[in-house]
C-alpha cells in the first residue's frame, strides 16, 4: 500500500515540478545564448535575462517549500482527507509517503539549481576540470582517511537526509497540532511551530549541558591521545545524526498520534 | 442473519458538547437502512465514527466484527457529504486511483454509470460543477462491491432527474450480502426503498425499527412519523 501511495504522491507533484525544472533550464539556456551572441558593450539583455533567471531560481525553492506544506495540509487535513483517511491503509503510511516525496523534490530542486548554473557558466573544459578536481579531492580524502572517507561520505549524506526529514516533520507536526483547534487553524499551526522549535532548542541546550557536566569532551580529548582526531569527528557527526533522528522521531510520533486518534476533518 | 454493524454505548463529545450519547445498535446484513434525523442530530458524526474519521469518546463499533481500521475500510464504501476529489485529476484518473486502492472496485461499472449520467471521463474535476462532482463520487462509491455502503446525504445536492437514477442505482446494487445505510432528511423521496429506519434526535437513538412494522403497528408512513417525532 505504501508503494501505491508513493506512486500517487509522485503523480500529484511531478505535474508541477517537471515543468518547473524545464522552465528553469530553458531560461538558463537563454541566458547562455544571450551572453554568447550579444556584443560586449550591450549589457541590458544580459542583465534582464539574468534577473529573470534568478527570480525563477528563487521561485523554484519557494514552490518546493510551499508544495511540501500544501501536499500535507490540503491532501490530508482538508476535504481531500475524507478520501485519503478512508483508504484501507494506516495513517503512518500516509505521513511517510508525503515525507519521502517531499525529501525527494527538495533534493531534486537542489540538483536542478546546480545543473542550471552549469548550463549558464560552464564550458567543456570547465566541466572536465571540475571533474578532475572532484576526483582529486576524493583521492586526497582517501589518502588522508583511508576507508573511513567512505564512512564520512555516508555520514554526511545521512546527516543531510535526517536533517531534511526532521525539518519537514516539524512542519507536519505543527500543522497537525494546528488542526486540533476549531478555528484559526493556520494561525494555530504557526503558533505550534514556534512552540515546537522553542521546545526543541531548550531540549538541545539541556542535552549539551548534560554532556558538558559529564565531561564528555574531556573523555574525548583523552581518547584522541589514544586514537586520533578522526574518531572525535565521527562521534561528533553521529551525535548530530542521533539528535536530529530523535527530533524527527518525536515530530513523527506527534503527527501520527493526532492523525490516528484526534482527526477531526471539517 | 449476520450482523454487519454493531455499536455498544457509542458516545462522542466535542469539548463539552455531547454529539452522540450512548448509542446501542445492531444492524443486520442485507438491508437498506435509513439514518434519519434533523440537521445536527449526529448523523454525520455517526457515519464518520464508523469510517474511522473520528475516534469515539466512549463505547465501541464493530463492522462485520472488525474495529474501524484497515480491515473495515476494505469492506466499507463511503460517500461523504463533502466533495473529496483531487481537483487536478481527470475522472479517468480518479477511477484508476480507486482501482489501485480498492480490490472490490469495478472500473467498467463506474464507466457505465458515468455514461448514464452524461459525464465525460476525460474531463478534469476542476471544470465540473458541485452537482457533477457529487455524481462522480456516487459512481465511484457504488462501483465498489462493498459489504457496507455508507451514504451521507447522497441526493441532497443533485437535480430531481438524477435523484431517481441514483436511487435506482442504489437499489440495483443492493444484494443479500451488502447493506446500505443512507443518511438524509429528505425522507419522502427515499421512503419507498427503505427496509429499516433509525431515528436520531439530539445525539440519541429514539427509534430503530423495520419500516413494515411502523406501517403495521402505527398505521402511518415513515415520513409522517418523522414529522411527529421531530415536531418543532
Amino acid at each position: 500500500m505504501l508503494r501505491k501511495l508513493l506512486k500517487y504522491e509522485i503523480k500529484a507533484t511531478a505535474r508541477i515540478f517537471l515543468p518547473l525544472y524545464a522552465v528553469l533550464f530553458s531560461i538558463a539556456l537563454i541566458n547562455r545564448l544571450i551572453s554568447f551572441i550579444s556584443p560586449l558593450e550591450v549589457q541590458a539583455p544580459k542583465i534582464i535575462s539574468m534577473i529573470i533567471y534568478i527570480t525563477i531560481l528563487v521561485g523554484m525553492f519557494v514552490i518546493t517549500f510551499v508544495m511540501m506544506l500544501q501536499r500535507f495540509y490540503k491532501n490530508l487535513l482538508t476535504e481531500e482527507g475524507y478520501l485519503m483517511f478512508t483508504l484501507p491503509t494506516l495513517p503512518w503510511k500516509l505521513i511517510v509517503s508525503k515525507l519521502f516525496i517531499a525529501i525527494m523534490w527538495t533534493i531534486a530542486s537542489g540538483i536542478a539549481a546546480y545543473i542550471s548554473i552549469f548550463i549558464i557558466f560552464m564550458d567543456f573544459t570547465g566541466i572536465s576540470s571540475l571533474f578532475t578536481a572532484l576526483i582529486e579531492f576524493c583521492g586526497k580524502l582517501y589518502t588522508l582517511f583511508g576507508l573511513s572517507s567512505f564512512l564520512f561520505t555516508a555520514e554526511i549524506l545521512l546527516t543531510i537526509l535526517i536533517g531534511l526529514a526532521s525539518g519537514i516533520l516539524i512542519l507536519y507536526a505543527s500543522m497537525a497540532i494546528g488542526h486540533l483547534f476549531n478555528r484559526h487553524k493556520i494561525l494555530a499551526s504557526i503558533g505550534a511551530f514556534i512552540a515546537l522549535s522553542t521546545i526543541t532548542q531548550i531540549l538541545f541546550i539541556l542535552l549539551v549541558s548534560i554532556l558538558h557536566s559529564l565531561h564528555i569532551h574531556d573523555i574525548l580529548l583523552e581518547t584522541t591521545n589514544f586514537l586520533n582526531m578522526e574518531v572525535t569527528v565521527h562521534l561528533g557527526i553521529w551525535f548530530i545524526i542521533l539528535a536530529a533522528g530523535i527530533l524527527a522521531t518525536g515530530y513523527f510520533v506527534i503527527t501520527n498520534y493526532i492523525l490516528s486518534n484526534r482527526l477531526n476533518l471539517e | 442473519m449476520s450482523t454487519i454493524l454493531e455499536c455498544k454505548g457509542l458516545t462522542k463529545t466535542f469539548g463539552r458538547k455531547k454529539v452522540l450519547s450512548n448509542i446501542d445498535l445492531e444492524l443486520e446484513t442485507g438491508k437498506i437502512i435509513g439514518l434519519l434525523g434533523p440537521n445536527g442530530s449526529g448523523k454525520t458524526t455517526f457515519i464518520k465514527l464508523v469510517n474511522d474519521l473520528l475516534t469515539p469518546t466512549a463505547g465501541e463499533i464493530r463492522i462485520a466484527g472488525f474495529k474501524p481500521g484497515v480491515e473495515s475500510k476494505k469492506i466499507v464504501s463511503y460517500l461523504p457529504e463533502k466533495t473529496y476529489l483531487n481537483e487536478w485529476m481527470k475522472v479517468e484518473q480518479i477511477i484508476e486511483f480507486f482501482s489501485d486502492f480498492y480490490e472490490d472496485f469495478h472500473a467498467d461499472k463506474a464507466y457505465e454509470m458515468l455514461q448514464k449520467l452524461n459525464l465525460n471521463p476525460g474531463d478534469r474535476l476542476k471544470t465540473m460543477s458541485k452537482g457533477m462532482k457529487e455524481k462522480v463520487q456516487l459512481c465511484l462509491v457504488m462501483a465498489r462491491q462493498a459489504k457496507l455502503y455508507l451514504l451521507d446525504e447522497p441526493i441532497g445536492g443533485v437535480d430531481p432527474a438524477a435523484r431517481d437514477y441514483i436511487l435506482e442505482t442504489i437499489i440495483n446494487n443492493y444484494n443479500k450480502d451488502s447493506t446500505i445505510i443512507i443518511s438524509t432528511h429528505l425522507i419522502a423521496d427515499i421512503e419507498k426503498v427503505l427496509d429499516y429506519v433509525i431515528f436520531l434526535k439530539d445525539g440519541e437513538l429514539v427509534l430503530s425499527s423495520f419500516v413494515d412494522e411502523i406501517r403495521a403497528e402505527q398505521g402511518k408512513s415513515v415520513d409522517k412519523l418523522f414529522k411527529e417525532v421531530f415536531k418543532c
Side-chain angles (χ1 to χ4, degrees), chain B residues 91-121:
Chain B
V91 177
E92 55 202 15
Q93 283 173 309
I94 191 86
I95 287 177
E96 203 192 318
F97 182 93
F98 267 70
S99 306
D100 250 5
F101 283 100
Y102 294 109
E103 284 172 23
D104 60 5
F105 183 78
H106 299 283
D108 45 346
K109 210 168 159 187
Y111 280 115
E112 194 190 305
M113 282 189 258
L114 287 170
Q115 202 191 2
K116 283 250 176 70
L117 286 165
N118 292 320
L119 294 163
N120 183 4

Side-chain angles (χ1 to χ4, degrees), chain A residues 72 76-77 85 90-92 94-96 98 172 175-177 179-180 252-265, chain B residues 52-55 73:
Chain A
F72 185 86
L76 296 183
L77 300 179
F85 284 105
L90 291 164
W92 73 262
L94 297 173
I95 304 169
V96 166
K98 305 274 174 232
Y172 288 178
M175 287 186 274
I177 293 170
H179 169 77
L180 293 174
F252 182 84
V253 167
I254 293 172
T255 314
N256 189 43
Y257 174 78
I258 293 172
L259 296 191
S260 310
N261 301 300
R262 291 275 174 269
L263 192 69
N264 187 12
L265 299 170
Chain B
D52 199 25
L53 290 172
L54 289 173
T55 311
K73 286 170 188 177

Side-chain angles (χ1 to χ4, degrees), chain A residues 35-53:
Chain A
S35 64
F36 187 68
I37 53 172
S38 64
L40 271 178
E41 59 273 19
V42 187
Q43 291 292 329
K46 282 188 213 171
I47 293 169
I48 291 168
S49 66
M50 192 43 104
I51 290 171
I52 294 172
Y53 165 74

Side-chain angles (χ1 to χ4, degrees), chain A residues 102-113:
Chain A
I103 291 175
M104 184 187 92
W105 289 120
T106 310
I107 294 171
S109 293
I111 294 171

Side-chain angles (χ1 to χ4, degrees), chain B residues 162-181:
Chain B
R163 210 171 270 184
D164 283 344
Y165 174 73
I166 286 166
L167 282 179
E168 208 178 288
T169 314
I170 293 171
I171 302 164
N172 289 343
N173 269 288
Y174 159 81
N175 64 52
K176 260 186 285 177
D177 302 322
S178 61
T179 307
I180 303 175
I181 298 179

Side-chain angles (χ1 to χ4, degrees), chain A residues 1 4-5 7-8 11-13 15 71 74-75 79-91 259-266, chain B residues 14 44 48 51-55 70 73-74 76 78 80-89 93-94 96-98 100-102 126 144:
Chain A
M1 202 53 85
K4 287 178 193 167
L5 288 171
K7 183 180 117 186
Y8 275 94
K11 266 194 183 176
T13 44
R15 77 203 161 88
R71 281 304 299 165
K74 187 154 185 275
N75 197 226
E79 278 149 13
E80 289 178 22
Y82 281 89
L83 178 61
M84 300 313 287
F85 284 105
T86 45
L87 294 176
T89 184
L90 291 164
L259 296 191
S260 310
N261 301 300
R262 291 275 174 269
L263 192 69
N264 187 12
L265 299 170
E266 297 229 1
Chain B
F14 290 111
T44 297
K48 282 167 90 172
N51 277 300
D52 199 25
L53 290 172
L54 289 173
T55 311
V70 176
K73 286 170 188 177
K74 281 182 188 167
V76 173
Y78 167 48
E81 35 155 21
K82 309 272 177 170
T83 47
Y84 59 32
L85 304 165
N86 291 249
E87 292 270 299
W88 59 272
M89 281 189 183
Q93 283 173 309
I94 191 86
E96 203 192 318
F97 182 93
F98 267 70
D100 250 5
F101 283 100
Y102 294 109
K126 200 184 283 177
R144 282 184 60 194

